[in-house]
């Protein structure tokens, strides 16, 4: 049996993924009078605040000083936090509370492996903090997704090997991170974004334990 479940947060547990890009759009409009195209969102999904800002500035072909870079990152976070001000358990994505509770009842340990520094706040506000045995602090991780570091740290925080775990992701960078870490990957979303995952569900409402356990066992038996 798999022993650990490692979760991304935005777009997997909480309905917050689009709020990040909405915040970046507001920031770009306000500071540079520029709009951001839809396809830039994928490049900012799963990656840290500063890597997202770097990708956006590169798209805009704007160079800024380090001080201005930090100010912009901080302003984006203030915009984002404003979007989160009414966050409640209603913002948990469909089916995820039941799935997390099922894992808990089965004795499977859970860790959060989100790039977001707002992770603990979001878990608190959605009432899920108590379900998690560990929350990785992304500010302590050297290389963010798509590097394997954050998922390796999440497995280690549970005292498990990567092989004993399954990871849940909605972003290309996240699936790449899981693959690099040697962790069975479950993608949530469309083929374009998470088609490389070992198992894919179109949306959180479709996730079920039996399919996840089956794919994990199959991969372990063939390894
Ligand atoms: C990830 C999001 O979960 O967290 C990214 O997918 C975001 O879009 C990253 O940039 C960092 O979040 P925060 O809250 O620390 O700015
Ligand atoms: Mg995500």
């Amino acid at each position: 049996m798999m022993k650990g479940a490692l979760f991304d947060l935005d777009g997997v547990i909480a309905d917050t993924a689009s709020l990040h890009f909405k915040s970046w759009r507001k920031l770009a409009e306000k500071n540079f009078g520029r709009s951001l195209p839809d396809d830039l969102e994928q490049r900012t999904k799963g990656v840290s605040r500063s890597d997202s800002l770097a990708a956006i500035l590169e798209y805009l072909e704007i160079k800024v000083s380090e001080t201005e870079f930090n100010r912009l990152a901080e302003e984006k976070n203030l915009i984002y936090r404003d979007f989160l001000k009414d966050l409640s358990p209603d913002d948990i994505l469909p089916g995820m509370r039941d799935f997390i509770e099922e894992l808990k009842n089965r004795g499977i340990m859970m860790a959060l492996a989100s790039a977001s520094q707002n992770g603990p706040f979001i878990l608190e506000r959605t009432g899920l903090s108590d379900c998690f045995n560990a929350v990785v602090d992304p500010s302590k991780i050297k290389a963010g997704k798509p590097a394997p570091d954050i998922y390796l740290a999440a497995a280690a925080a549970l005292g498990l090997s990567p092989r004993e775990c399954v990871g849940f992701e909605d972003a290309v960078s996240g699936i790449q991170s899981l693959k690099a870490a040697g962790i069975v990957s479950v993608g949530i979303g469309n083929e374009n974004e998470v088609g490389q995952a070992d198992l894919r569900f179109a949306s959180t409402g479709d996730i079920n334990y039996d399919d996840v356990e089956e794919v994990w066992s199959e991969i372990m038996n063939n390894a």
Side-chain angles (χ1 to χ4, degrees):
M1 243 182 68
M2 63 186 242
K3 292 191 178 153
L6 316 177
F7 285 94
D8 175 45
L9 174 66
D10 299 307
V12 170
I13 294 175
D15 194 7
T16 44
S18 63
L19 299 179
H20 279 287
F21 200 61
K22 217 169 145 185
S23 308
W24 288 122
R25 282 198 149 132
K26 212 167 160 183
L27 183 88
E29 189 57 53
K30 188 170 156 228
N31 286 271
F32 309 114
R34 300 274 302 273
S35 55
L36 303 177
D38 292 349
D39 59 6
L40 198 56
E41 181 168 10
Q42 203 190 92
R43 278 173 58 199
T44 62
K45 253 191 174 181
V47 305
S48 70
R49 195 181 309 163
S50 52
D51 288 349
S52 299
L53 178 55
I56 287 164
L57 291 173
E58 188 190 305
Y59 164 79
L60 294 172
E61 297 183 331
I62 290 173
K63 285 198 166 41
V64 296
S65 66
E66 196 183 327
T67 314
E68 179 63 357
F69 186 96
N70 293 337
R71 189 198 65 74
L72 287 166
E74 183 55 31
E75 187 182 338
K76 182 269 176 176
N77 194 47
L78 292 176
I79 298 169
Y80 180 60
R81 289 296 291 233
D82 195 49
F83 283 130
L84 295 187
K85 69 179 185 309
D86 298 323
L87 197 74
S88 76
D90 292 343
D91 296 294
I92 299 175
L93 284 162
M96 285 313 278
R97 174 188 293 283
D98 288 350
F99 182 61
I100 286 171
E101 259 158 30
E102 180 176 3
L103 293 177
K104 198 172 161 190
N105 293 337
R106 287 179 185 267
I108 291 169
M109 297 219 282
M110 283 175 270
L112 193 74
S114 168
S116 175
Q117 300 189 39
N118 292 296
F121 169 79
I122 294 174
L123 285 187
E124 200 59 53
R125 288 290 285 271
T126 51
L128 292 172
S129 300
D130 291 348
C131 299
F132 284 81
N133 305 90
V135 175
V136 177
D137 177 353
S139 70
K140 304 247 155 47
I141 302 293
K142 264 206 201 124
K145 299 172 190 178
D149 307 33
I150 193 162
Y151 277 107
L152 291 174
L158 297 179
L160 299 174
S161 76
R163 284 171 54 83
E164 292 174 303
C165 300
V166 171
F168 297 86
E169 264 293 346
D170 71 322
V172 178
S173 59
I175 300 293
Q176 288 169 342
S177 172
L178 284 165
K179 295 216 159 244
I183 294 169
V184 171
S185 56
V186 177
I188 295 145
N190 62 40
E191 182 75 34
N192 274 348
E193 288 202 282
V194 293
Q196 299 301 311
D198 296 310
L199 172 67
R200 182 178 72 86
F201 295 104
S203 69
T204 55
D206 301 324
I207 297 186
N208 70 83
Y209 177 81
D210 291 342
D211 287 356
V212 174
E213 176 68 33
E214 192 184 316
V215 166
W216 178 83
S217 303
E218 248 174 53
I219 293 173
M220 289 309 127
N221 290 336
N222 292 330

